[in-house]
Amino acid sequence: MTRSVTVFNPGGISLIQDAGRAGFQRYGVSVSGVMDPEALLIGNHLLGNEPGAAAIEVTFGGSEFRFEAELVAVVTGGNLQPSLDGTPLDNWETFVASAGSVLRFGVPVEGLRAYLCIEGGFDVPPVLGSRSTHVASRIGGLNGGPLSAGDSLSVGPSSSHALPSSALPAELRHSTTGEITIRVVRGPQYSSFTDSGVGTFLSSNYTVSDKSDRQGLRLEGPVIEASGGKYDILSDAVVFGSVQVPGDGKPIVLMADRQTTGGYTKIATVASVDLPLLAQVTPGTMLKFVEISVTEAQSLMRQRRAAILNSDIRSGICAGNGGVTVNGTVYEMGIQFRRTDIGQSTAGMATVSLPGVRFTARVNEVPDSSIR
Amino acid sequence: MSEASHSVKKYPRILPAGDQALMVEFGNEISPSVNDDVYALADRLSVESPSWLGEIVPTYRSLLIAYDGFQFDYDRVYRELSEFLSADTGNNVGTVRSPVVFELPVAYGGQDGPDLAQVAEHAGLTVEEVVSIHTSVSYRVYMIGFSPGFPYLGGMDTRIACPRLGTPRTRVPAGSVGIAESQTGVYPNASPGGWQLIGRTPVRLFDVTAEPPSLLQPGHFVRFVPVSIDQMVEIEREIDQGNYRVETAELSE
């Protein structure tokens, strides 16, 4: 069977996204990419993919996808009640989808966006070095637009180390319910705001408006006062997480589909470590902002990434086949062991039982491709 | 603080832009010399290529410099960038590129420029005078932004300035040349837009298969050259056949 996934029903909106189209902002090309970079990183890590392999970003749920071949996959990000042929799936744990099986998303019960990551990644033609879809400029994805029913998506070559049983440890799965505190660093135009304006921003509750989208989160709340009422600047470059304050004094957090430049004062920039939280907020969610230093923000993002990449995600029971030659006779054998390392190959001890013989064999190296 | 501090050199200055980027500001105005400083730094960084250098985004008066915050400390990047800026004499930084003028053929008025008459009326000029004024200047490409390949052009004669449309169009055809206040520009892609449309160029300003994808680069200049409908049709045919080359010239004052 061809390694592909068919879109049965795109649901709310389903988009091919990867780590983004960096490098072309000077030509006005939006970075786009996933809203929740951590969910993509984790999904690809669990599958042994390249960190930026393309996934399907499912927003609002209601989508259905059919696997046309046996494929290892994982759902990360928000909890949109995924199920495989009717059996509920847990986010953050890889599963083997058999050929013909159908993955369905329900409505969001926590968060807003889920990511379907697959061994090898979705293989649409890259445009300017990325598979990300930027709908506004019709670039990337499948013909520049959202996925629609009937679309067939090729899956890239299997990674040599995709494992069918890996999972993100529970302590690393964060919650996006209740009131959320977002850490920010000072923005480039921080000093354009009055002390009282900065105070308002850092002490008030802001509510995510339903006019929010992949381009930005519009927030409702107290007006932030700029010195001399000047909210406009000469257009300059913005980043993922720039907090702009336009003339109405209500902040807008720029997200994945942001334009490359903007003409409003930027009071703050969201710390990278907290962007995944913003990617998952639903309209009506209450946010609070606290200021930290850039050094602190970098330390937090590094700690978080290290915790993810060094966590014991591949602790599942793995099985492999092999053979042992005893006195000239070859015995086929099965090996089962608990995998605990994260290298490209696996070493460990395996206990092997053969008729009339019992011994312990040392397994020096088992290529991951043999573990299925 | 503020006004009392002109003894202290205010620019260039380094501003924070999150945990993975810095912004260097060279001024707070639209001026060729400030914009030259932006491109001079962009060029020097590209040549010297410090290990932390990521994507750079030049704009009117500032340069955004991205770096990998997982790998490089803010303090280090800030310090090295400061050294980089102070090593600069600050005088006649200039730009290392020789300014190139791209001559874009434009069919003015008619279907391609439905607002030309309105712009003329607003200016109290004839349509011919508006075209003549619009085509008499080499416009500096200060930056590319807003949408893929969209050039922010500077230098338009304010006699033909005109407010934006009261109600933006839901679809402006690719190549449309417009005026908004004292700015002029070209829409590289079909999009909604509120600029007064005075003409259209068949030249494709943005093509993902081209290297680089944007025909115009920041620091380039643009001159609009009026063409007839017949010439327009001929140029479009050549573009479709892949044998059209945009005329370029050296900048002459």
Side-chain angles (χ1 to χ4, degrees):
Chain A
M1 290 301 280
T2 135
R3 288 167 59 86
S4 67
V5 169
T6 303
V7 181
F8 258 26
N9 172 3
I13 183 167
S14 294
L15 297 164
I16 296 283
Q17 297 294 349
D18 61 16
R21 188 168 285 107
F24 298 92
Q25 291 183 86
R26 78 182 73 175
Y27 305 126
V29 180
S30 171
V31 175
S32 63
V34 289
M35 287 282 276
D36 185 340
E38 188 176 291
L40 181 74
L41 177 79
I42 294 171
N44 284 330
H45 181 55
L46 292 173
L47 292 165
N49 286 346
E50 289 297 313
I56 299 177
E57 179 179 279
V58 173
T59 305
F60 305 123
S63 348
E64 297 173 300
F65 304 97
R66 188 176 68 194
F67 298 89
E68 304 299 349
E70 184 181 287
L71 291 161
V72 183
V74 63
V75 176
T76 62
N79 182 357
L80 275 52
Q81 306 184 81
S83 62
L84 189 67
D85 285 338
T87 305
L89 290 171
D90 285 322
N91 273 19
W92 315 108
E93 295 180 14
T94 59
F95 59 92
V96 182
S98 55
S101 59
V102 175
L103 173 68
R104 289 188 174 82
F105 289 93
V107 296
V109 290
E110 189 182 345
L112 187 62
R113 297 181 165 86
Y115 294 85
L116 171 59
C117 303
I118 201 149
E119 55 162 318
F122 289 100
D123 188 21
V124 299
V127 177
L128 298 174
S130 164
R131 297 180 167 85
S132 286
T133 317
H134 189 245
V135 176
S137 50
R138 307 295 301 178
I139 290 178
L142 209 58
N143 306 315
L147 297 176
S148 51
D151 285 345
S152 172
L153 300 165
S154 297
V155 172
S158 181
S159 150
S160 64
H161 28 102
L163 287 176
S165 57
S166 52
L168 186 71
E171 67 272 17
L172 290 175
R173 309 178 189 186
H174 50 201
S175 165
T176 52
T177 51
E179 185 186 292
I180 293 174
T181 299
I182 299 295
R183 289 162 288 193
V184 297
V185 302
R186 291 183 177 189
Q189 284 86 40
Y190 178 87
S191 58
S192 300
F193 294 87
T194 62
D195 289 350
S196 125
V198 171
T200 304
F201 174 64
L202 294 174
S203 64
S204 309
N205 286 319
Y206 285 92
T207 309
V208 178
S209 144
D210 58 6
K211 295 189 198 76
S212 303
D213 55 21
R214 280 181 45 87
Q215 193 176 346
L217 301 179
R218 289 170 181 273
L219 306 180
E220 293 293 343
V223 168
I224 299 165
E225 186 184 68
S227 307
K230 263 191 64 92
Y231 292 93
D232 291 355
I233 56 165
L234 268 183
S235 285
D236 69 3
V238 299
V239 299
F240 197 170
S242 287
V243 184
Q244 283 186 338
V245 184
D248 66 2
K250 312 279 182 71
I252 300 173
V253 187
L254 298 180
M255 301 296 284
D257 276 359
R258 66 196 178 278
Q259 293 173 344
T260 53
T261 55
Y264 299 121
T265 46
K266 295 176 281 290
I267 192 170
T269 310
V270 174
S272 296
V273 70
D274 284 343
L275 288 171
L277 296 174
L278 289 183
Q280 297 294 348
V281 295
T282 48
T285 305
M286 203 95 95
L287 303 178
K288 260 185 126 66
F289 295 97
V290 299
E291 186 189 329
I292 58 173
S293 70
V294 177
T295 301
E296 207 175 335
Q298 291 192 326
S299 154
L300 288 166
M301 68 196 251
R302 291 172 190 175
Q303 282 166 24
R304 175 77 186 156
R305 179 163 289 188
I308 291 165
L309 297 184
N310 298 332
S311 64
D312 184 12
I313 59 167
R314 300 187 175 191
S315 57
I317 300 296
C318 301
N321 299 306
V324 171
T325 306
V326 180
N327 296 333
T329 308
V330 176
Y331 298 90
E332 288 299 314
M333 65 179 193
I335 307 171
Q336 271 209 345
F337 59 96
R338 188 167 178 83
R339 184 181 167 129
T340 57
D341 74 326
I342 312 178
Q344 293 195 6
S345 57
T346 301
M349 300 296 286
T351 303
V352 181
S353 297
L354 294 168
V357 188
R358 182 173 171 80
F359 64 95
T360 301
R362 181 173 175 78
V363 181
N364 288 322
E365 199 171 58
V366 179
D368 287 336
S369 54
S370 72
I371 306 171
R372 290 299 290 270
Chain B
M1 199 43 226
S2 65
E3 305 312 314
S5 60
H6 26 248
S7 58
V8 181
K9 197 176 161 220
K10 196 177 175 195
Y11 298 109
R13 60 178 179 180
I14 305 175
L15 301 170
D19 45 29
Q20 310 214 58
L22 287 167
M23 180 89 90
V24 180
E25 255 185 26
F26 289 92
N28 191 26
E29 59 187 357
I30 300 179
S31 87
S33 73
V34 169
N35 198 233
D36 277 347
D37 287 346
V38 173
Y39 291 108
L41 178 62
D43 288 346
R44 284 176 60 210
L45 283 171
S46 303
V47 168
E48 299 200 18
S49 188
S51 57
W52 38 262
L53 183 66
E55 178 166 16
I56 53 176
V57 189
T59 56
Y60 281 119
R61 49 71 194 263
S62 67
L63 185 68
L64 182 87
I65 300 162
Y67 64 94
D68 180 359
F70 289 99
Q71 215 186 328
F72 299 101
D73 289 349
Y74 169 75
D75 290 340
R76 174 188 163 186
V77 177
Y78 189 100
R79 189 181 62 244
E80 291 188 20
L81 196 55
S82 306
E83 288 165 7
F84 210 88
L85 290 170
S86 54
D88 184 355
T89 60
N91 296 324
N92 299 321
V93 180
T95 168
V96 298
R97 59 189 94 218
S98 58
V100 176
V101 186
F102 284 76
E103 299 183 345
L104 299 182
V106 173
Y108 282 92
Q111 274 189 345
D112 294 316
D115 305 324
L116 180 61
Q118 196 176 323
V119 171
E121 192 186 322
H122 184 265
L125 298 167
T126 65
V127 160
E128 290 73 22
E129 285 167 332
V130 170
V131 173
S132 160
I133 291 169
H134 194 252
T135 54
S136 64
V137 178
S138 291
Y139 299 98
R140 170 186 276 259
V141 179
Y142 276 95
M143 57 189 262
I144 308 276
F146 170 68
S147 75
F150 186 94
Y152 283 78
L153 302 178
M156 193 181 80
D157 191 320
T158 51
R159 281 179 294 163
I160 56 173
C162 190
R164 287 175 168 79
L165 295 175
T167 308
R169 288 186 171 84
T170 52
R171 189 175 183 280
V172 172
S176 292
V177 176
I179 288 175
E181 306 299 341
S182 56
Q183 283 184 285
T184 186
V186 187
Y187 287 88
N189 314 289
S191 71
W195 291 33
Q196 305 272 2
L197 306 183
I198 59 171
R200 191 172 66 85
T201 179
V203 174
R204 286 170 196 158
L205 295 192
F206 187 81
D207 176 1
V208 292
T209 64
E211 170 61 40
S214 176
L215 173 73
L216 301 174
Q217 309 289 308
H220 283 159
F221 287 78
V222 169
R223 202 177 174 105
F224 297 110
V225 178
V227 295
S228 67
I229 297 291
D230 288 351
Q231 286 170 306
M232 178 90 163
V233 169
E234 172 60 19
I235 294 169
E236 280 184 321
R237 204 173 51 81
E238 287 176 19
I239 289 171
D240 287 343
Q241 290 168 353
N243 45 25
Y244 179 79
R245 285 276 165 280
V246 179
E247 297 280 336
T248 57
E250 295 273 307
L251 183 68
S252 57
E253 294 304 328

